[in-house]
Amino acid sequence: HHLDDDRRHMVVTTGHNQINIYDNNHCGNHIDLACHFINKKTEFSYGGESSIVKFLYCEDDVNEALIAFGGIKKEISIMSVAHTRIVRLLKGHESEIIDIAPHKKKPGCFFSASRDNTIRFWNATDDNAQQVFDAGKGLECIASHPTEGVVMAGYKDGSVKRFTLGSGQAFELYGPKTLSRIDCIEYIDSERILVYTATGVLQVINATTGEAMNKIKVPRGNVNNNNKKMQAFPTKFGISDCREMVCCGNSTGEVFIFDINTSSRLNKLSMPRIRGAVTKSMFTKQSSSVIVTTDDAIIWRWDYKHPQHKSTKKLIM
């Protein structure tokens, strides 16, 4: 979703060579497709598939929104939402782009992670990366600090490393205790991070000391033990605005909401029509809705209702 609180009703998704932006607030009981962009090859862009897309932070007084996306291609595309076109190609990575983490305070700035084992810090207005970190082998995902120039990186062996702008060295915050791949990492606040491992565990970690705090086990659902692909299917979780709840899906299309502080399960979102694995789940502004994407190219939304009413489900094709 958009990083600006006043624009968090804008949701961006990617699939194949498409970038789609939805309005989740001004179109009644459904999400309206506000922008549809096909990343075709042109004289200014290489085109091709995208697997990761993020809104970038912009100044409040600027009537523009920028999106950074990448994938199998080595470059990162910067897209202007106002003009619905690519405005810059950032080159430097030598392999697939696997994650993007916007800087929460610097307009147009973000970190990128690649299979070339580097993390790069960019300004969308410059052609060259402002800093390159040698992240080492097994890099899987990254998350930027809420206010400072710090990025956390999750690894295939279950370790977490911290990188700081201005310093070229990595600090191993959390060692490979479980040898389980970290699929997603996010800051809860400036003092804590949350990671999700391939074994279906959400682990809270102290962002300064690396101390493992409370742990949450995400149910797998009715998964065939012989189906290793489904068991190891990566998913990305979402944290609420209040920073007290997390929503996370599994391989069978179920989404669970947990209290981060107590590890207690608050709700389960599911329905028979959902047959795909959950690739991403997130809260909207003020946690009024939960939006879920599945690997069969469908977006689902649950709207919060008063306890005396049943939760409503919205389907977006």
Side-chain angles (χ1 to χ4, degrees):
H1 51 68
H2 202 289
L3 297 180
D4 186 342
D5 284 342
D6 293 332
R7 302 174 185 174
R8 281 195 63 175
H9 59 279
M10 303 304 293
V11 178
V12 62
T13 66
T14 185
H16 192 50
N17 65 341
Q18 300 181 30
I19 304 293
N20 294 316
I21 301 175
Y22 298 90
D23 186 335
N24 186 44
N25 197 36
H26 298 103
C27 302
N29 292 326
H30 68 281
I31 298 181
D32 185 63
L33 181 62
C35 176
H36 174 66
F37 175 77
I38 299 178
N39 189 30
K40 297 180 179 179
K41 184 177 181 179
T42 69
E43 58 181 313
F44 305 107
S45 173
Y46 296 119
E49 296 184 13
S50 171
S51 58
I52 183 72
V53 59
K54 294 288 181 70
F55 273 110
L56 302 182
Y57 173 71
C58 293
E59 295 282 9
D60 293 338
D61 57 350
V62 176
N63 190 24
E64 172 65 292
L66 295 177
I67 290 172
F69 66 88
I72 297 177
K73 299 286 187 179
K74 302 174 185 179
E75 76 277 1
I76 299 171
S77 299
I78 305 299
M79 172 183 163
S80 162
V81 176
H83 298 91
T84 322
R85 67 180 180 87
I86 304 297
V87 294
R88 189 174 296 274
L89 286 177
L90 303 180
K91 304 175 184 178
H93 281 299
E94 299 178 357
S95 188
E96 175 186 2
I97 310 299
I98 57 174
D99 207 355
I100 292 172
H103 194 293
K104 306 295 174 57
K105 295 298 180 181
K106 290 188 176 182
C109 293
F110 64 96
F111 297 91
S112 63
S114 169
R115 291 294 181 207
D116 64 7
N117 301 323
T118 67
I119 297 173
R120 295 172 187 255
F121 182 69
W122 308 84
N123 186 319
T125 61
D126 296 334
D127 290 331
N128 299 315
Q130 297 187 352
Q131 187 165 350
V132 180
F133 300 98
D134 182 3
K137 295 182 179 180
L139 179 63
E140 291 291 333
C141 52
I142 56 174
S144 63
H145 191 279
T147 58
E148 301 174 3
V150 175
V151 61
M152 291 287 189
Y155 286 79
K156 190 174 183 178
D157 65 359
S159 62
V160 176
K161 295 180 182 180
R162 182 174 66 218
F163 300 86
T164 304
L165 290 178
S167 171
Q169 296 184 350
F171 174 75
E172 186 169 290
L173 179 73
Y174 185 75
K177 297 179 174 62
T178 62
L179 296 178
S180 177
R181 184 187 71 237
I182 293 179
D183 289 330
C184 185
I185 182 171
E186 290 290 345
Y187 272 90
I188 302 172
D189 49 43
S190 59
E191 301 297 329
R192 298 174 297 165
I193 59 173
L194 183 63
V195 301
Y196 177 76
T197 68
T199 55
V201 172
L202 289 161
Q203 176 70 63
V204 180
I205 302 172
N206 186 296
T208 303
T209 65
E211 176 189 359
M213 303 170 73
N214 51 311
K215 182 185 297 184
I216 302 170
K217 180 66 177 179
V218 180
R220 288 189 178 277
N222 298 320
V223 179
N224 186 339
N225 290 329
N226 295 323
N227 192 336
K228 296 182 179 180
K229 180 180 179 181
M230 287 192 68
Q231 287 185 317
F233 195 92
T235 188
K236 296 186 180 296
F237 58 79
I239 300 177
S240 62
D241 285 353
C242 64
R243 318 311 287 177
E244 295 181 357
M245 297 183 293
V246 58
C247 57
C248 187
N250 62 19
S251 301
T252 57
E254 300 169 324
V255 177
F256 297 88
I257 300 176
F258 300 95
D259 185 306
I260 294 176
N261 298 316
T262 66
S263 301
S264 58
R265 193 170 97 180
L266 303 177
N267 206 346
K268 172 186 174 182
L269 308 177
S270 64
M271 61 184 301
R273 292 182 62 187
I274 301 182
R275 300 183 182 277
V278 175
T279 56
K280 169 75 177 178
S281 52
M282 56 166 277
F283 291 98
T284 59
K285 187 177 181 180
Q286 298 178 343
S287 306
S288 58
S289 301
V290 172
I291 296 179
V292 176
T293 58
T294 49
D295 67 345
D296 50 5
I298 299 179
I299 307 173
W300 307 80
R301 187 183 81 186
W302 278 263
D303 294 337
Y304 175 79
K305 296 295 181 182
H306 190 275
Q308 67 183 8
H309 299 291
K310 292 183 178 180
S311 177
T312 59
K313 308 175 184 70
K314 307 298 179 184
L315 172 62
I316 304 93
M317 303 299 292

